Amino acid sequence: YCRDKTRNSITLDWAPLAQQAFVRYIVKRAGQPQPDYNGPLTTITVPGLTAGRSYTFTIQGVRTQTNQTPIY
């Protein structure tokens, strides 16, 4: 969910699923080869965006080093 936005950044916030034991999350922007975030937080700010442009993000919960589960 979008918590806040500026001209050049967006703050994303999501609630961990109660029944899942995720150790980290991967946030990816559509069309980008590298994730914008890979870590344990559930609120992040993504900088370097362009005003007026649409962006799509995918958030994956990771239970272990090899198990990735899309959650949003």
Side-chain angles (χ1 to χ4, degrees):
Y1 304 98
C2 175
R3 175 187 272 191
D4 190 26
K5 63 182 179 176
T6 68
R7 290 184 53 82
N8 300 65
S9 70
I10 188 170
T11 299
L12 303 174
D13 182 44
W14 60 95
L17 300 175
Q19 69 274 22
Q20 303 295 327
F22 295 125
V23 296
R24 63 187 168 93
Y25 300 92
I26 298 171
V27 179
K28 294 181 180 177
R29 188 179 342 166
Q32 297 296 312
Q34 298 298 317
D36 288 289
Y37 178 74
N38 186 343
L41 302 178
T42 58
T43 300
I44 64 160
T45 298
V46 180
L49 305 179
T50 302
R53 185 171 178 193
S54 292
Y55 294 92
T56 301
F57 294 90
T58 301
I59 302 169
Q60 294 178 309
V62 180
R63 291 190 198 101
T64 66
Q65 292 293 14
T66 59
N67 184 3
Q68 297 179 8
T69 303
I71 60 172
Y72 293 107

